[in-house]
Amino acid sequence: MTLIHTGSTIPDGELCLTFDDGPGPHTTSISSYLRNEGISATFFLIGSFVAAYRSTVRQLLDDGHEIGNHTHNHPCLTAQPSLTGPEIVTAHNAIRPFVASCEKPLFFRPPYGFWPTLPELNDVRTPQGDRLGDLYAGPISWDFNGEDYSFWATARDADDPAALQRATSNYLRAQRGIVLLHDHCGDNALIAVQTQTYRMIRRLVPQWRQLGRRFISLRDAYRANYLNVPM
């Protein structure tokens, strides 16, 4: 777990859906919809949110999705590199009861995609004695960021149809690779209240399919060696 990875060799037309900053009030809606569509996504969870949404985390797994580590408090790790190990370990302790029987390695994504590149983190151990380098693959970045949060931040309110349309149109530009979305918001209360990503995904999936897009899980991309360090 040293250098940022993207889905740089995921085939053209294949999208890998990932959601950051949950769990939150709309996570179950997204999870259920994607399950019904036969799509497996990865949800990178903030550890400090898990306790209030334990049933949501269980539903994510029951719906066939994967959960990843997005730190415990969503700090900028390049601004505070000393927090990196403790943040990952504390978040791991929050999700550990849910992932005990999940396939390893798990996936980690740093907040904002900012990563301090500290090779020594591989040897940091959890209270159970597990090395982070054995537990986690990544850090996982993305190939397409439609910046859903920016549309919700400037929306008139939580039901602004124009903001929803603009965000949807922006995400329809995705042609391949790991797609970044947000089921909640880890650092902005307004965005957390005004998010419409749970509505947007219901528009995106059928339109993506009309455009010929297909869906691949992050786990399947990992197994196929599609996750690589950009050159």
Side-chain angles (χ1 to χ4, degrees):
M1 195 168 67
T2 303
L3 299 175
I4 286 281
H5 287 63
T6 67
S8 58
T9 56
I10 291 176
D12 287 345
E14 293 193 9
L15 303 180
C16 176
L17 303 188
T18 64
F19 294 83
D20 283 9
D21 289 13
H26 302 297
T27 303
T28 56
S29 174
I30 296 171
S31 177
S32 296
Y33 174 74
L34 293 177
R35 176 201 64 209
N36 292 338
E37 292 296 319
I39 299 171
S40 177
T42 298
F43 290 76
F44 288 95
L45 306 184
I46 295 175
S48 60
F49 292 171
V50 168
Y53 290 96
R54 295 180 65 84
S55 62
T56 297
V57 178
R58 284 191 290 270
Q59 180 180 332
L60 287 173
L61 296 172
D62 290 345
D63 285 347
H65 305 300
E66 188 141 2
I67 62 175
N69 186 321
H70 198 45
T71 72
H72 196 67
N73 295 297
H74 203 267
C76 178
L77 298 178
T78 52
Q80 304 177 82
S82 63
L83 293 180
T84 305
E87 279 285 331
I88 298 172
V89 169
T90 307
H92 178 75
N93 288 339
I95 66 174
R96 187 176 66 88
F98 303 97
V99 299
S101 60
C102 292
E103 184 174 342
K104 305 298 188 299
L106 304 171
F107 298 113
F108 169 74
R109 173 177 283 163
Y112 315 106
F114 295 154
W115 179 243
T117 311
L118 302 172
E120 60 270 25
L121 284 173
N122 285 315
D123 292 321
V124 171
R125 293 186 179 271
T126 68
Q128 296 75 37
D130 299 308
R131 290 177 68 252
L132 290 185
D134 296 328
L135 278 174
Y136 286 97
I140 306 297
S141 186
W142 50 81
D143 303 289
F144 183 87
N145 177 9
E147 299 185 354
D148 48 353
Y149 48 85
S150 67
F151 294 94
W152 318 143
T154 57
R156 185 184 67 242
D157 54 36
D159 298 302
D160 186 344
L164 178 58
Q165 181 56 48
R166 289 193 298 269
T168 302
S169 296
N170 198 41
Y171 271 91
L172 287 174
R173 297 186 300 113
Q175 297 186 32
R176 53 158 296 281
I178 300 171
V179 178
L180 173 65
L181 302 109
H182 295 77
D183 54 312
H184 194 40
C185 185
D187 59 5
N188 187 303
L190 177 64
I191 296 173
V193 169
Q194 296 197 159
T195 179
Q196 295 190 69
T197 299
Y198 68 101
R199 291 178 176 141
M200 181 177 69
I201 198 66
R202 286 165 165 76
R203 295 185 173 195
L204 283 173
V205 168
Q207 292 186 66
W208 270 330
R209 283 180 165 149
Q210 288 177 358
L211 293 170
R213 305 292 183 262
R214 304 173 304 281
F215 299 95
I216 184 173
S217 70
L218 187 60
R219 179 62 61 185
D220 284 343
Y222 175 80
R223 291 172 181 153
N225 294 317
Y226 290 153
L227 307 185
N228 299 283
V229 178
M231 300 300 290

